Amino acid sequence: MKVLKFGGTSVADAKNINRVIDIILENKRDTVVVVSALGGITDNLIKLATLASKGDMGYKTLFSSICERHNQIIRDLIKPKEKEKILREINIKYKELEEVIENIFTTKELSLSALDAAMSFGEQLSVYIISEAIKNRNILCEFTDARTLIKTDDKFGSANVDIEKSYKIISNYFKNKKNLSIMGGFIASTQKGITTTLSRGGSDYTAALIGAALNVSTIEIWTDVDGLMTADPKKMKDALLIPEISYSEAEEMAYSGAKVIHPKTIKPAVLKGIPIYIKNTFNPKGVGTKISNEKENRK
Ligand code: ASP
Ligand code: MG
């Protein structure tokens, strides 16, 4: 069993989502897919909530453009026969988001829990659209609301996961699942069912939690760069790809600001000895970076 996680750029538009589905097709069985919000959407949702909290009516235009971005993908990827039904379903989600934002507009208050509720729509929308796009390519696929599987405390914005409880729920949930499963990263909920998030970039962490709970063979983080590099390639032209690295070195790089992987991703994997591969959706044949203890053990 494997976990494949695809980041925001990988699912930013219809063309990229089709690339992602090609990669999923190679792994189809016994795979859990974790997806981020469409690239840029989480930032837009924060902007949306902030505008509303300031009483700025401009939020309405931004709200429409967020919906339109998702609708465009539905128009691009879904067969005409299915389109109406899916647009109807997604409209229910838009209404829910609108209510969250209108409430912020009315109260002029942006609590961390309201912000989590708003941000969660990025993954709620992306997972639904991507699951339908997968079905549209004749692959059986079931989508799950990550909030029912990952339980946290109420530290909104960067909630702490109740590992024991979540692993129990996850392993029970997947016990008899045979088809491809897909869920959104980043989002979770408190014991009472209130939406929380795992902090920005937290979809990687979701993938690691699912992988560790299910004792998978590998966790693959599919992103828009070839892997971990010796330096930031945007600043240093001669940055080199690191093909193999230990958990502790990777964790140190992540905590010191390398954006490729969320720092919390490493721990669940180390504890179960599951290798993490960082791979590039736009260069799937590339070797990527393997994070494990193998290199150290060879010494
Ligand atoms: N969508 C969330 C963010 O932009 C989580 C993630 O992409 O990992 O931070
Ligand atoms: Mg990321």
Side-chain angles (χ1 to χ4, degrees):
M1 202 170 191
K2 270 187 181 183
V3 174
L4 309 182
K5 180 260 168 179
F6 296 92
T9 319
S10 301
V11 296
D13 56 26
K15 195 168 151 224
N16 293 0
I17 292 173
N18 268 330
R19 279 176 194 278
V20 163
I21 300 175
D22 290 338
I23 295 167
I24 294 172
L25 270 172
E26 308 222 333
N27 294 282
K28 214 158 43 170
R29 286 195 61 84
D30 260 1
T31 297
V32 182
V33 173
V34 175
V35 291
S36 288
L38 313 185
I41 288 293
T42 310
D43 287 338
N44 275 330
L45 289 166
I46 295 172
K47 209 165 149 196
L48 180 69
T50 309
L51 284 174
S53 72
K54 290 181 178 149
D56 185 334
M57 291 296 278
Y59 86 83
K60 288 188 183 276
T61 319
L62 182 56
F63 174 76
S64 302
S65 77
I66 291 171
C67 300
E68 178 47 30
R69 175 111 184 263
H70 291 85
N71 287 344
Q72 185 60 47
I73 295 183
I74 295 172
R75 289 195 291 270
D76 288 343
L77 290 182
I78 308 293
K79 289 188 194 100
K81 208 171 79 201
E82 302 285 322
K83 225 176 274 182
E84 284 312 307
K85 186 193 114 217
I86 291 163
L87 285 170
R88 227 178 304 124
E89 288 287 323
I90 205 96
N91 266 314
I92 299 173
K93 283 273 165 231
Y94 297 155
K95 271 260 159 303
E96 283 174 33
L97 169 61
E98 198 175 22
E99 267 169 37
V100 170
I101 302 299
E102 274 172 1
N103 194 40
I104 295 171
F105 183 79
T106 315
T107 58
K108 306 281 176 296
E109 198 195 315
L110 186 53
S111 64
L112 286 176
S113 74
L115 188 59
D116 273 359
M119 284 195 290
S120 76
F121 281 88
E123 275 71 11
Q124 290 191 57
L125 293 167
S126 72
V127 72
Y128 176 64
I129 293 177
I130 297 164
S131 73
E132 289 299 332
I134 293 173
K135 288 189 211 159
N136 201 65
R137 285 181 55 181
N138 299 320
I139 308 161
L140 287 173
C141 162
E142 241 174 278
F143 97 81
T144 315
D145 189 331
R147 294 173 298 175
T148 62
L149 301 181
I150 298 179
K151 291 289 158 189
T152 67
D153 64 7
D154 59 1
K155 192 171 170 243
F156 296 102
S158 182
N160 298 298
V161 174
D162 183 336
I163 299 277
E164 211 177 307
K165 187 160 194 167
S166 304
Y167 283 12
K168 236 182 235 153
I169 299 173
I170 295 164
S171 60
N172 267 330
Y173 176 82
F174 284 100
K175 210 172 265 164
N176 298 312
K177 293 262 177 281
K178 290 271 171 291
N179 298 331
L180 177 73
S181 296
I182 183 167
M183 57 191 273
F186 182 54
I187 61 177
S189 74
T190 65
Q191 313 297 346
K192 288 187 183 146
I194 305 181
T195 299
T196 53
T197 64
L198 304 179
S199 86
R200 293 303 306 274
S203 291
D204 299 337
Y205 183 36
T206 304
L209 292 166
I210 299 292
L214 300 176
N215 290 301
V216 297
S217 56
T218 54
I219 296 163
E220 297 180 2
I221 306 289
W222 289 82
T223 179
D224 56 1
V225 292
D226 280 332
L228 284 169
M229 309 291 278
T230 51
D232 182 348
K234 284 180 193 124
K235 291 183 194 140
M236 303 275 280
K237 274 249 154 354
D238 51 1
L240 294 173
L241 174 73
I242 304 170
E244 241 186 319
I245 191 168
S246 69
Y247 291 116
S248 54
E249 286 169 312
E251 191 169 45
E252 202 182 301
M253 281 179 79
Y255 274 109
S256 59
K259 283 269 186 297
V260 183
I261 189 166
H262 191 281
K264 282 189 179 170
T265 312
I266 307 293
K267 197 170 167 203
V270 187
L271 293 175
K272 295 285 178 93
I274 304 168
I276 301 171
Y277 289 85
I278 299 173
K279 303 272 288 172
N280 189 349
T281 301
F282 307 93
N283 178 23
K285 296 254 180 299
V287 289
T289 297
K290 178 179 185 180
I291 307 171
S292 72
N293 276 341
E294 267 171 42
K295 202 173 157 196
E296 282 187 348
N297 293 343
R298 279 201 299 271
K299 274 182 199 156

mmCIF file of all heavy atoms in Angstrom, residues 252-288:
data_model
loop_
_atom_site.group_PDB
_atom_site.id
_atom_site.type_symbol
_atom_site.label_atom_id
_atom_site.label_comp_id
_atom_site.label_asym_id
_atom_site.label_seq_id
_atom_site.Cartn_x
_atom_site.Cartn_y
_atom_site.Cartn_z
ATOM 1 N N GLU A 252 15.687 18.525 9.640
ATOM 2 C CA GLU A 252 16.415 19.746 9.949
ATOM 3 C C GLU A 252 16.251 20.767 8.812
ATOM 4 O O GLU A 252 16.003 21.948 9.057
ATOM 5 C CB GLU A 252 17.887 19.386 10.123
ATOM 6 C CG GLU A 252 18.660 20.383 10.936
ATOM 7 C CD GLU A 252 20.121 19.971 11.030
ATOM 8 O OE1 GLU A 252 20.396 18.863 11.538
ATOM 9 O OE2 GLU A 252 20.961 20.765 10.554
ATOM 10 N N MET A 253 16.358 20.280 7.582
ATOM 11 C CA MET A 253 16.186 21.193 6.435
ATOM 12 C C MET A 253 14.790 21.798 6.439
ATOM 13 O O MET A 253 14.595 22.984 6.188
ATOM 14 C CB MET A 253 16.396 20.443 5.109
ATOM 15 C CG MET A 253 17.852 20.220 4.760
ATOM 16 S SD MET A 253 18.019 19.317 3.201
ATOM 17 C CE MET A 253 17.744 20.639 2.024
ATOM 18 N N ALA A 254 13.777 20.957 6.730
ATOM 19 C CA ALA A 254 12.392 21.436 6.711
ATOM 20 C C ALA A 254 12.169 22.471 7.813
ATOM 21 O O ALA A 254 11.573 23.521 7.579
ATOM 22 C CB ALA A 254 11.428 20.264 6.861
ATOM 23 N N TYR A 255 12.691 22.169 9.020
ATOM 24 C CA TYR A 255 12.505 23.127 10.118
ATOM 25 C C TYR A 255 13.280 24.415 9.886
ATOM 26 O O TYR A 255 12.913 25.463 10.374
ATOM 27 C CB TYR A 255 12.864 22.505 11.480
ATOM 28 C CG TYR A 255 11.699 21.749 12.087
ATOM 29 C CD1 TYR A 255 11.703 20.357 12.172
ATOM 30 C CD2 TYR A 255 10.576 22.430 12.562
ATOM 31 C CE1 TYR A 255 10.630 19.658 12.718
ATOM 32 C CE2 TYR A 255 9.499 21.749 13.106
ATOM 33 C CZ TYR A 255 9.525 20.360 13.182
ATOM 34 O OH TYR A 255 8.460 19.687 13.718
ATOM 35 N N SER A 256 14.379 24.327 9.097
ATOM 36 C CA SER A 256 15.127 25.571 8.884
ATOM 37 C C SER A 256 14.644 26.303 7.626
ATOM 38 O O SER A 256 15.321 27.205 7.132
ATOM 39 C CB SER A 256 16.629 25.321 8.882
ATOM 40 O OG SER A 256 16.956 24.415 7.881
ATOM 41 N N GLY A 257 13.503 25.894 7.093
ATOM 42 C CA GLY A 257 12.851 26.726 6.086
ATOM 43 C C GLY A 257 12.780 26.178 4.667
ATOM 44 O O GLY A 257 12.201 26.822 3.804
ATOM 45 N N ALA A 258 13.353 25.001 4.392
ATOM 46 C CA ALA A 258 13.201 24.422 3.048
ATOM 47 C C ALA A 258 11.717 24.136 2.858
ATOM 48 O O ALA A 258 11.113 23.416 3.643
ATOM 49 C CB ALA A 258 14.010 23.136 2.923
ATOM 50 N N LYS A 259 11.123 24.757 1.846
ATOM 51 C CA LYS A 259 9.661 24.717 1.715
ATOM 52 C C LYS A 259 9.141 23.414 1.096
ATOM 53 O O LYS A 259 7.942 23.205 1.006
ATOM 54 C CB LYS A 259 9.203 25.890 0.835
ATOM 55 C CG LYS A 259 9.196 27.238 1.546
ATOM 56 C CD LYS A 259 7.824 27.496 2.173
ATOM 57 C CE LYS A 259 7.651 28.860 2.774
ATOM 58 N NZ LYS A 259 8.540 29.170 3.892
ATOM 59 N N VAL A 260 10.058 22.558 0.649
ATOM 60 C CA VAL A 260 9.628 21.386 -0.122
ATOM 61 C C VAL A 260 8.719 20.455 0.677
ATOM 62 O O VAL A 260 7.795 19.856 0.137
ATOM 63 C CB VAL A 260 10.864 20.620 -0.663
ATOM 64 C CG1 VAL A 260 10.446 19.443 -1.513
ATOM 65 C CG2 VAL A 260 11.755 21.569 -1.468
ATOM 66 N N ILE A 261 8.995 20.340 1.967
ATOM 67 C CA ILE A 261 8.202 19.401 2.770
ATOM 68 C C ILE A 261 7.879 20.015 4.137
ATOM 69 O O ILE A 261 8.717 20.703 4.733
ATOM 70 C CB ILE A 261 8.962 18.049 2.879
ATOM 71 C CG1 ILE A 261 8.087 16.974 3.499
ATOM 72 C CG2 ILE A 261 10.267 18.186 3.605
ATOM 73 C CD1 ILE A 261 8.670 15.576 3.313
ATOM 74 N N HIS A 262 6.660 19.781 4.610
ATOM 75 C CA HIS A 262 6.266 20.317 5.924
ATOM 76 C C HIS A 262 7.055 19.586 7.014
ATOM 77 O O HIS A 262 7.137 18.354 7.004
ATOM 78 C CB HIS A 262 4.756 20.109 6.118
ATOM 79 C CG HIS A 262 4.214 20.845 7.302
ATOM 80 N ND1 HIS A 262 4.371 20.378 8.591
ATOM 81 C CD2 HIS A 262 3.541 22.014 7.401
ATOM 82 C CE1 HIS A 262 3.799 21.232 9.430
ATOM 83 N NE2 HIS A 262 3.292 22.233 8.733
ATOM 84 N N PRO A 263 7.635 20.334 7.955
ATOM 85 C CA PRO A 263 8.510 19.703 8.954
ATOM 86 C C PRO A 263 7.860 18.567 9.750
ATOM 87 O O PRO A 263 8.528 17.600 10.111
ATOM 88 C CB PRO A 263 8.912 20.860 9.873
ATOM 89 C CG PRO A 263 8.160 22.058 9.435
ATOM 90 C CD PRO A 263 7.644 21.810 8.067
ATOM 91 N N LYS A 264 6.559 18.670 9.990
ATOM 92 C CA LYS A 264 5.917 17.621 10.809
ATOM 93 C C LYS A 264 5.764 16.286 10.066
ATOM 94 O O LYS A 264 5.361 15.291 10.650
ATOM 95 C CB LYS A 264 4.535 18.097 11.273
ATOM 96 C CG LYS A 264 4.591 19.073 12.427
ATOM 97 C CD LYS A 264 3.176 19.309 12.946
ATOM 98 C CE LYS A 264 3.153 20.258 14.119
ATOM 99 N NZ LYS A 264 1.759 20.651 14.433
ATOM 100 N N THR A 265 6.049 16.291 8.767
ATOM 101 C CA THR A 265 5.860 15.082 7.945
ATOM 102 C C THR A 265 6.790 13.943 8.355
ATOM 103 O O THR A 265 6.449 12.768 8.205
ATOM 104 C CB THR A 265 6.153 15.431 6.462
ATOM 105 O OG1 THR A 265 5.452 16.632 6.149
ATOM 106 C CG2 THR A 265 5.687 14.345 5.525
ATOM 107 N N ILE A 266 7.975 14.318 8.853
ATOM 108 C CA ILE A 266 9.010 13.295 9.046
ATOM 109 C C ILE A 266 8.684 12.329 10.196
ATOM 110 O O ILE A 266 8.803 11.111 10.042
ATOM 111 C CB ILE A 266 10.390 13.974 9.311
ATOM 112 C CG1 ILE A 266 10.699 14.992 8.199
ATOM 113 C CG2 ILE A 266 11.493 12.928 9.437
ATOM 114 C CD1 ILE A 266 10.946 14.420 6.833
ATOM 115 N N LYS A 267 8.234 12.882 11.324
ATOM 116 C CA LYS A 267 8.113 12.055 12.530
ATOM 117 C C LYS A 267 7.234 10.794 12.360
ATOM 118 O O LYS A 267 7.672 9.695 12.723
ATOM 119 C CB LYS A 267 7.637 12.909 13.704
ATOM 120 C CG LYS A 267 7.877 12.237 15.037
ATOM 121 C CD LYS A 267 7.638 13.187 16.188
ATOM 122 C CE LYS A 267 7.564 12.410 17.488
ATOM 123 N NZ LYS A 267 6.815 13.162 18.504
ATOM 124 N N PRO A 268 6.014 10.936 11.846
ATOM 125 C CA PRO A 268 5.194 9.713 11.717
ATOM 126 C C PRO A 268 5.883 8.650 10.854
ATOM 127 O O PRO A 268 5.776 7.449 11.132
ATOM 128 C CB PRO A 268 3.910 10.205 11.025
ATOM 129 C CG PRO A 268 3.875 11.674 11.253
ATOM 130 C CD PRO A 268 5.302 12.126 11.367
ATOM 131 N N ALA A 269 6.631 9.106 9.840
ATOM 132 C CA ALA A 269 7.311 8.168 8.947
ATOM 133 C C ALA A 269 8.493 7.487 9.643
ATOM 134 O O ALA A 269 8.655 6.266 9.541
ATOM 135 C CB ALA A 269 7.772 8.895 7.691
ATOM 136 N N VAL A 270 9.302 8.260 10.385
ATOM 137 C CA VAL A 270 10.461 7.666 11.090
ATOM 138 C C VAL A 270 9.987 6.588 12.047
ATOM 139 O O VAL A 270 10.564 5.510 12.113
ATOM 140 C CB VAL A 270 11.184 8.685 12.017
ATOM 141 C CG1 VAL A 270 12.456 8.096 12.598
ATOM 142 C CG2 VAL A 270 11.418 9.991 11.371
ATOM 143 N N LEU A 271 8.934 6.920 12.816
ATOM 144 C CA LEU A 271 8.489 5.985 13.852
ATOM 145 C C LEU A 271 8.056 4.644 13.268
ATOM 146 O O LEU A 271 8.111 3.625 13.936
ATOM 147 C CB LEU A 271 7.361 6.606 14.685
ATOM 148 C CG LEU A 271 7.788 7.812 15.535
ATOM 149 C CD1 LEU A 271 6.594 8.435 16.236
ATOM 150 C CD2 LEU A 271 8.854 7.419 16.561
ATOM 151 N N LYS A 272 7.609 4.666 12.008
ATOM 152 C CA LYS A 272 7.200 3.405 11.369
ATOM 153 C C LYS A 272 8.240 2.930 10.351
ATOM 154 O O LYS A 272 8.032 1.923 9.679
ATOM 155 C CB LYS A 272 5.840 3.590 10.670
ATOM 156 C CG LYS A 272 4.671 3.873 11.613
ATOM 157 C CD LYS A 272 4.253 2.602 12.340
ATOM 158 C CE LYS A 272 3.131 2.830 13.329
ATOM 159 N NZ LYS A 272 1.805 2.610 12.806
ATOM 160 N N GLY A 273 9.326 3.665 10.197
ATOM 161 C CA GLY A 273 10.376 3.289 9.233
ATOM 162 C C GLY A 273 9.893 3.292 7.789
ATOM 163 O O GLY A 273 10.317 2.476 6.973
ATOM 164 N N ILE A 274 8.983 4.209 7.476
ATOM 165 C CA ILE A 274 8.462 4.268 6.100
ATOM 166 C C ILE A 274 9.254 5.304 5.299
ATOM 167 O O ILE A 274 9.352 6.461 5.714
ATOM 168 C CB ILE A 274 6.960 4.672 6.096
ATOM 169 C CG1 ILE A 274 6.147 3.704 6.952
ATOM 170 C CG2 ILE A 274 6.420 4.741 4.654
ATOM 171 C CD1 ILE A 274 4.725 4.181 7.252
ATOM 172 N N PRO A 275 9.833 4.913 4.157
ATOM 173 C CA PRO A 275 10.549 5.911 3.358
ATOM 174 C C PRO A 275 9.594 6.932 2.732
ATOM 175 O O PRO A 275 8.474 6.594 2.350
ATOM 176 C CB PRO A 275 11.241 5.085 2.265
ATOM 177 C CG PRO A 275 10.468 3.812 2.193
ATOM 178 C CD PRO A 275 9.885 3.568 3.561
ATOM 179 N N ILE A 276 10.063 8.174 2.667
ATOM 180 C CA ILE A 276 9.300 9.236 1.994
ATOM 181 C C ILE A 276 10.049 9.569 0.710
ATOM 182 O O ILE A 276 11.264 9.791 0.731
ATOM 183 C CB ILE A 276 9.233 10.510 2.862
ATOM 184 C CG1 ILE A 276 8.579 10.227 4.217
ATOM 185 C CG2 ILE A 276 8.487 11.628 2.133
ATOM 186 C CD1 ILE A 276 8.674 11.400 5.201
ATOM 187 N N TYR A 277 9.336 9.596 -0.395
ATOM 188 C CA TYR A 277 9.948 10.018 -1.660
ATOM 189 C C TYR A 277 9.383 11.379 -2.037
ATOM 190 O O TYR A 277 8.165 11.562 -1.999
ATOM 191 C CB TYR A 277 9.622 9.033 -2.787
ATOM 192 C CG TYR A 277 10.320 7.702 -2.646
ATOM 193 C CD1 TYR A 277 9.769 6.698 -1.859
ATOM 194 C CD2 TYR A 277 11.526 7.447 -3.293
ATOM 195 C CE1 TYR A 277 10.403 5.468 -1.712
ATOM 196 C CE2 TYR A 277 12.172 6.226 -3.153
ATOM 197 C CZ TYR A 277 11.603 5.246 -2.365
ATOM 198 O OH TYR A 277 12.241 4.036 -2.221
ATOM 199 N N ILE A 278 10.260 12.293 -2.413
ATOM 200 C CA ILE A 278 9.782 13.552 -2.970
ATOM 201 C C ILE A 278 9.946 13.462 -4.474
ATOM 202 O O ILE A 278 11.031 13.144 -4.970
ATOM 203 C CB ILE A 278 10.565 14.743 -2.386
ATOM 204 C CG1 ILE A 278 10.345 14.769 -0.875
ATOM 205 C CG2 ILE A 278 10.090 16.058 -3.022
ATOM 206 C CD1 ILE A 278 11.182 15.772 -0.158
ATOM 207 N N LYS A 279 8.864 13.674 -5.202
ATOM 208 C CA LYS A 279 8.885 13.496 -6.656
ATOM 209 C C LYS A 279 8.273 14.721 -7.331
ATOM 210 O O LYS A 279 7.444 15.410 -6.757
ATOM 211 C CB LYS A 279 8.063 12.255 -7.028
ATOM 212 C CG LYS A 279 8.519 10.960 -6.363
ATOM 213 C CD LYS A 279 9.581 10.236 -7.149
ATOM 214 C CE LYS A 279 9.031 9.601 -8.406
ATOM 215 N NZ LYS A 279 10.086 9.049 -9.262
ATOM 216 N N ASN A 280 8.674 14.931 -8.576
ATOM 217 C CA ASN A 280 8.189 16.082 -9.339
ATOM 218 C C ASN A 280 7.088 15.665 -10.319
ATOM 219 O O ASN A 280 7.333 14.885 -11.231
ATOM 220 C CB ASN A 280 9.380 16.701 -10.091
ATOM 221 C CG ASN A 280 9.033 18.024 -10.745
ATOM 222 O OD1 ASN A 280 7.857 18.411 -10.820
ATOM 223 N ND2 ASN A 280 10.046 18.716 -11.221
ATOM 224 N N THR A 281 5.890 16.195 -10.109
ATOM 225 C CA THR A 281 4.758 15.891 -10.999
ATOM 226 C C THR A 281 5.087 16.262 -12.451
ATOM 227 O O THR A 281 4.581 15.645 -13.380
ATOM 228 C CB THR A 281 3.517 16.698 -10.534
ATOM 229 O OG1 THR A 281 3.228 16.338 -9.182
ATOM 230 C CG2 THR A 281 2.289 16.430 -11.388
ATOM 231 N N PHE A 282 5.971 17.251 -12.617
ATOM 232 C CA PHE A 282 6.278 17.741 -13.963
ATOM 233 C C PHE A 282 7.543 17.087 -14.534
ATOM 234 O O PHE A 282 7.993 17.447 -15.617
ATOM 235 C CB PHE A 282 6.387 19.276 -13.929
ATOM 236 C CG PHE A 282 5.142 19.872 -13.313
ATOM 237 C CD1 PHE A 282 5.071 20.157 -11.958
ATOM 238 C CD2 PHE A 282 3.994 20.045 -14.090
ATOM 239 C CE1 PHE A 282 3.905 20.630 -11.371
ATOM 240 C CE2 PHE A 282 2.821 20.518 -13.515
ATOM 241 C CZ PHE A 282 2.777 20.811 -12.157
ATOM 242 N N ASN A 283 8.096 16.137 -13.787
ATOM 243 C CA ASN A 283 9.248 15.359 -14.249
ATOM 244 C C ASN A 283 9.182 13.995 -13.556
ATOM 245 O O ASN A 283 10.044 13.619 -12.773
ATOM 246 C CB ASN A 283 10.554 16.105 -13.881
ATOM 247 C CG ASN A 283 11.790 15.324 -14.282
ATOM 248 O OD1 ASN A 283 11.734 14.468 -15.183
ATOM 249 N ND2 ASN A 283 12.902 15.577 -13.605
ATOM 250 N N PRO A 284 8.093 13.246 -13.835
ATOM 251 C CA PRO A 284 7.831 12.039 -13.040
ATOM 252 C C PRO A 284 8.907 10.961 -13.164
ATOM 253 O O PRO A 284 9.030 10.111 -12.290
ATOM 254 C CB PRO A 284 6.479 11.534 -13.571
ATOM 255 C CG PRO A 284 6.231 12.260 -14.841
ATOM 256 C CD PRO A 284 7.045 13.513 -14.829
ATOM 257 N N LYS A 285 9.706 11.027 -14.239
ATOM 258 C CA LYS A 285 10.761 10.010 -14.404
ATOM 259 C C LYS A 285 12.015 10.342 -13.585
ATOM 260 O O LYS A 285 12.902 9.513 -13.430
ATOM 261 C CB LYS A 285 11.149 9.885 -15.893
ATOM 262 C CG LYS A 285 10.014 9.389 -16.791
ATOM 263 C CD LYS A 285 10.252 7.956 -17.215
ATOM 264 C CE LYS A 285 9.160 7.394 -18.115
ATOM 265 N NZ LYS A 285 7.818 7.362 -17.474
ATOM 266 N N GLY A 286 12.076 11.548 -13.078
ATOM 267 C CA GLY A 286 13.237 11.965 -12.267
ATOM 268 C C GLY A 286 13.389 11.088 -11.024
ATOM 269 O O GLY A 286 12.411 10.507 -10.560
ATOM 270 N N VAL A 287 14.607 10.997 -10.497
ATOM 271 C CA VAL A 287 14.823 10.101 -9.349
ATOM 272 C C VAL A 287 14.180 10.626 -8.067
ATOM 273 O O VAL A 287 13.802 9.845 -7.198
ATOM 274 C CB VAL A 287 16.331 9.838 -9.070
ATOM 275 C CG1 VAL A 287 16.921 8.964 -10.146
ATOM 276 C CG2 VAL A 287 17.106 11.135 -8.895
ATOM 277 N N GLY A 288 14.079 11.937 -7.941
ATOM 278 C CA GLY A 288 13.510 12.518 -6.725
ATOM 279 C C GLY A 288 14.455 12.380 -5.544
ATOM 280 O O GLY A 288 15.640 12.068 -5.704
#
